[in-house]
Amino acid sequence: MYKSFCHFTILSTMCFSIFFGSCNTPAETNDAAVIISVNSQTNDQKIKMSELYSELEYIKLETTPESLIAQVSKVIPLDTQLLIVDKESSKILLFDVKGKFMGTVGSKGVGVGEFIEIEDVAVDKQGEKIFVLDHSGKRILIYDLKGNFANDIKIDFIAHEIEYLEDGSLACYCDYSANEAYEKNKTRPNLILLDLNSAETHPFLYTPQSISVQEVNSPFSALSSHTPQYAFLFDILTNSIYEIGQERIKRTFVLNFGDEETANQKSYVRKLEEEQLTAERIMPGASDSPQYPVITSLISCNNFLFLNAINYSTMDVYQIVYSVDDAKCIYGKAQKQFPIENDIDGVVPFAPYAAYQSRIYGVIESYQLAASEPTNSKVATFLADIEEDDNPIIVMAETKKIN
């Protein structure tokens, strides 16, 4: 297991080519950001799960013709339910905390309460509302936690991720999409806050119009709920993490993988600004793919940041866990595999998908369990009852203080 405490410094100016937007509320601030330094030149080493979690628990999602899941796109843990988004099958499914199938939310179609395409889902847990971003229909559909349709809101912009904020707004990540109605001075917003009461929109984090979504390797998850009032959003081209809330939008952290990687990152952004790159040229291993570690997902849990990154030129994979409270982190690195070792119970490792309170939630496909070597008899009995074509397994991991 490789363990390293990240060095951190303060960054007082904006890096690369992110531009602030208008003076709408909340205000964008240019305060100092904490730089989390990760040594990309270290030898391959894995993190042991016992460094991160005190215990693991597994939930078998009931498998029926109605509840069959093609691929888990998102997990949203609730007090008494698990909401599973399956974009491939255009399904939003509800299970209880034991894995029993409870029903679905909406359905694919063009009628009232139906969505054409699920782009993302968010939940107002206190208000008991589910928000579905219908990419093709350009609207937000609203349901209750039982899946009953309430109403929808038309939108005039393209977004790819949403997260609910307690002030009654949705943070909408645009992922460098061409939202012409919001363009100004050859820039476009990467974030739009949608007021759910008035349907008013407030654009922020303007980026050069010359960079398009087709030129960017989109992350698996860029938005993550931090507290009921705030969400975290990272920018894939600058490895910056922003705190999004009612009062401010602040760049809070920056991931730094070393001088060489930072230089490659700046060079890559300049190339995107100056040239029109095709998707084929930026694919992993292609001539113009990023030559530095790119953050692919961010999960915030109990004042911890869980980040995954990959260098597409070397196929080095990183898992970074940062403690916001005491500015400590540990990280692992491995080539073409997730740099985590399960030394708790021997089940195959998992990547974080979601967080709720002090728990991280992950997903393991049933067919992957054959590679497990369980060291716990209770877990071994649980695994023996699972077939390869069953629904995925949800893992609940209780986080612990980093030593």
Side-chain angles (χ1 to χ4, degrees):
M1 186 275 295
Y2 180 83
K3 178 177 179 180
S4 175
F5 291 106
C6 297
H7 300 289
F8 63 98
T9 55
I10 301 297
L11 188 70
S12 59
T13 58
M14 286 298 292
C15 293
F16 313 119
S17 303
I18 297 293
F19 297 92
F20 287 153
S22 59
C23 297
N24 296 322
T25 301
E28 295 184 56
T29 65
N30 197 20
D31 299 337
V34 174
I35 297 182
I36 305 172
S37 297
V38 177
N39 183 7
S40 64
Q41 302 304 313
T42 185
N43 294 329
D44 289 5
Q45 299 284 350
K46 293 186 178 182
I47 302 174
K48 292 183 178 180
M49 281 193 183
S50 60
E51 293 287 325
L52 308 177
Y53 310 119
S54 59
E55 61 178 332
L56 304 176
E57 184 179 341
Y58 300 91
I59 302 174
K60 179 182 178 181
L61 300 179
E62 183 180 6
T63 305
T64 67
E66 294 77 19
S67 68
L68 198 59
I69 298 171
Q71 184 174 8
V72 176
S73 307
K74 190 171 189 176
V75 178
I76 303 179
L78 306 173
D79 286 334
T80 61
Q81 293 176 306
L82 288 172
L83 187 149
I84 306 295
V85 181
D86 178 1
K87 293 169 63 173
E88 185 174 324
S89 298
S90 298
K91 288 182 180 179
I92 303 170
L93 306 99
L94 293 169
F95 297 84
D96 69 14
V97 292
K98 298 296 184 181
K100 180 177 175 57
F101 178 58
M102 304 299 291
T104 57
V105 178
S107 60
K108 186 172 183 177
V110 295
V112 176
E114 297 178 328
F115 38 77
I116 299 173
E117 179 184 13
I118 301 171
E119 188 66 17
D120 199 14
V121 178
V123 173
D124 170 9
K125 295 173 183 176
Q126 184 175 359
E128 299 186 343
K129 295 179 181 177
I130 299 170
F131 304 95
V132 179
L133 172 60
D134 183 353
H135 189 285
S136 299
K138 280 201 170 185
R139 57 183 177 163
I140 305 290
L141 294 90
I142 304 174
Y143 305 84
D144 64 22
L145 291 188
K146 294 182 180 180
N148 300 311
F149 176 71
N151 63 294
D152 60 15
I153 300 174
K154 302 294 183 182
I155 56 176
D156 63 350
F157 58 87
I158 299 172
H160 296 277
E161 292 185 51
I162 56 175
E163 193 66 54
Y164 178 77
L165 301 178
E166 199 176 57
D167 66 349
S169 63
L170 278 183
C172 306
Y173 175 55
C174 302
D175 193 19
Y176 295 89
S177 295
N179 286 308
E180 296 180 1
Y182 294 86
E183 292 176 356
K184 64 177 184 180
N185 301 324
K186 295 184 179 181
T187 64
R188 58 170 64 112
N190 228 5
L191 172 71
I192 293 177
L193 296 187
L194 171 66
D195 188 311
L196 293 167
N197 296 314
S198 66
E200 292 181 356
T201 55
H202 303 279
F204 298 96
L205 300 181
Y206 275 77
T207 63
Q209 184 177 322
S210 57
I211 300 177
S212 69
V213 65
Q214 291 81 13
E215 298 177 287
V216 179
N217 284 304
S218 297
F220 174 76
S221 171
L223 263 178
S224 176
S225 176
H226 176 44
T227 68
Q229 296 82 23
Y230 294 98
F232 276 142
L233 167 67
F234 77 79
D235 175 65
I236 193 170
L237 294 185
T238 64
N239 282 346
S240 297
I241 300 174
Y242 294 85
E243 188 179 54
I244 311 297
Q246 182 179 10
E247 299 176 354
R248 67 181 183 273
I249 295 174
K250 175 186 176 183
R251 192 176 62 152
T252 308
F253 303 101
V254 176
L255 269 291
N256 186 308
F257 291 89
D259 293 341
E260 181 180 346
E261 283 72 16
T262 298
N264 290 340
Q265 185 180 44
K266 291 180 178 180
S267 176
Y268 182 69
V269 173
R270 284 196 299 269
K271 180 177 288 189
L272 292 180
E273 293 176 346
E274 296 168 359
E275 301 180 34
Q276 290 295 318
L277 303 181
T278 62
E280 290 76 14
R281 288 174 62 183
I282 65 169
M283 293 293 288
S287 59
D288 291 307
S289 63
Q291 305 293 303
Y292 61 92
V294 175
I295 304 298
T296 57
S297 69
L298 163 66
I299 301 294
S300 174
C301 175
N302 199 28
N303 282 325
F304 288 95
L305 298 179
F306 286 75
L307 300 117
N308 294 330
I310 184 169
N311 187 328
Y312 289 111
S313 62
T314 63
M315 297 309 293
D316 287 331
V317 181
Y318 298 81
Q319 167 77 81
I320 305 159
V321 183
Y322 179 80
S323 172
V324 176
D325 287 339
D326 54 17
K328 291 181 179 179
C329 78
I330 59 176
Y331 56 88
K333 171 189 171 186
Q335 192 171 55
K336 297 182 180 179
Q337 59 179 303
F338 197 52
I340 292 287
E341 175 188 344
N342 186 349
D343 63 331
I344 296 178
D345 59 23
V347 177
V348 292
F350 61 90
Y353 264 64
Y356 187 48
Q357 298 175 342
S358 60
R359 286 179 166 178
I360 282 288
Y361 288 74
V363 177
I364 300 177
E365 297 291 343
S366 295
Y367 65 84
Q368 295 175 318
L369 294 171
S372 298
E373 297 180 359
T375 57
N376 181 297
S377 58
K378 182 179 178 181
V379 173
T381 301
F382 171 83
L383 297 183
D385 191 39
I386 297 172
E387 303 291 338
E388 286 192 2
D389 56 354
D390 281 347
N391 270 337
I393 305 303
I394 301 298
V395 189
M396 295 191 302
E398 187 69 33
T399 57
K400 59 187 277 188
K401 183 179 177 66
I402 296 177
N403 295 321

